[in-house]
Amino acid sequence: MISAIIVAAGKGTRMGPQVDKLFLELNGCSIVMHTWQRFDEAGCIDEILMVVRDGMQAAFMTLAQKYKFQKPFRVVVGGKERQDSVWNGLEALSPGAEIVAIQDAARPCTSPALIAATVAAAREIGAAVAAQHVTDTIKESRDGKLIERTLDRTRLWAVQTPQTFRVGIIRRALSAVRQKGLLVTDDTAACELIGQPVQLVLSTEPNPKVTRPEDLPYVEAVLRDLAAQR
């Protein structure tokens, strides 16, 4: 069984106060529902776990009924940090789950082909992540004012989601993070901690995440293009 955990428990503070970015409408549908739909349409996914803030369970159940998603799903309460929310999702997986794809709810343009590619890589290597080459010149600054050095962009990748794993591997990796009291910004960092190789899966199509208000026009344009291709 292949499961998907969609992490929708964050507050999205960079979007502005009193704004829940996941429920902003783009191209006729809320961002989180676009994301859910991508995984509902992915042929390789057998079940979906939506990890949400406590108190939002009923809202997500109502949306699921409205959009009539086909895949079995469960709504799970998230934790304080993203890694805690992922852990709660892992704890709620079906007993037969072998592979799990972990997705940011605010990344609504992920293609079924990319999802399938990360699943295939994770089945082979144990862990995989959607990623793109860094094309900008990247500078490092210690104080945020002056450049300290230039990094070699030929070795740099921007990682995205899905981040996909054999279930036993990501459980072991996040257990190590929790035992050491560490805070990681993504799930592949947990794999680095235990020495688990992670396969980079090239994302050849736009796969943006909504983080700030200026992201919205571009993401909506991508969603329009995807809808026109159906």
Side-chain angles (χ1 to χ4, degrees), residues 119-133:
V119 167
R123 193 184 297 279
E124 180 179 355
I125 303 296
V129 58
Q132 290 181 326
H133 293 283

Side-chain angles (χ1 to χ4, degrees), residues 26-47:
L26 296 180
N27 202 38
C29 181
S30 65
I31 291 169
V32 69
M33 290 300 102
H34 280 294
T35 306
W36 194 338
Q37 185 175 35
R38 297 288 167 213
F39 282 79
D40 193 63
E41 293 174 348
C44 63
I45 299 297
D46 298 307
E47 69 169 357

Side-chain angles (χ1 to χ4, degrees), residues 15 26 208-221:
M15 187 59 69
L26 296 180
K209 181 181 179 182
V210 177
T211 303
R212 298 178 175 86
E214 56 266 31
D215 299 328
L216 295 170
Y218 173 60
V219 174
E220 184 162 39

Side-chain angles (χ1 to χ4, degrees), residues 17-153:
Q18 310 303 318
V19 176
D20 191 332
K21 66 180 179 182
L22 296 182
F23 289 91
L24 294 175
E25 286 208 1
L26 296 180
N27 202 38
C29 181
S30 65
I31 291 169
V32 69
M33 290 300 102
H34 280 294
T35 306
W36 194 338
Q37 185 175 35
R38 297 288 167 213
F39 282 79
D40 193 63
E41 293 174 348
C44 63
I45 299 297
D46 298 307
E47 69 169 357
I48 296 171
L49 288 87
M50 294 295 304
V51 184
V52 309
R53 294 196 305 276
D54 193 17
M56 295 297 293
Q57 299 95 311
F60 277 86
M61 293 297 293
T62 298
L63 286 170
Q65 294 171 0
K66 176 181 177 181
Y67 288 95
K68 296 181 171 57
F69 294 122
Q70 300 300 307
K71 298 280 174 69
F73 73 90
R74 288 188 291 285
V75 176
V76 180
V77 175
K80 180 180 178 182
E81 304 291 346
R82 183 186 186 281
Q83 65 198 46
D84 302 318
S85 294
V86 171
W87 182 262
N88 291 356
L90 291 172
E91 291 288 275
L93 292 176
S94 293
E98 299 175 6
I99 303 288
V100 59
I102 301 171
Q103 175 78 358
D104 296 323
R107 201 178 292 273
C109 305
T110 305
S111 71
L114 182 59
I115 297 168
T118 65
V119 167
R123 193 184 297 279
E124 180 179 355
I125 303 296
V129 58
Q132 290 181 326
H133 293 283
V134 170
T135 56
D136 292 327
T137 297
I138 304 297
K139 304 288 186 177
E140 183 177 348
S141 172
R142 189 171 302 180
D143 61 5
K145 297 178 181 179
L146 299 176
I147 291 173
E148 185 172 347
R149 65 182 178 127
T150 302
L151 303 181
D152 180 2
R153 69 182 181 186

Side-chain angles (χ1 to χ4, degrees), residues 165-204:
F165 311 88
R166 293 182 200 148
V167 170
I169 285 173
I170 189 58
R171 279 183 172 150
R172 181 161 59 91
L174 283 179
S175 290
V177 167
R178 291 162 66 87
Q179 288 169 5
K180 292 179 181 294
L182 301 176
L183 183 65
V184 293
T185 58
D186 74 347
D187 307 300
T188 62
C191 285
E192 293 168 27
L193 180 66
I194 64 168
Q196 167 63 44
V198 180
Q199 176 70 51
L200 292 164
V201 177
L202 180 62
S203 179
T204 58

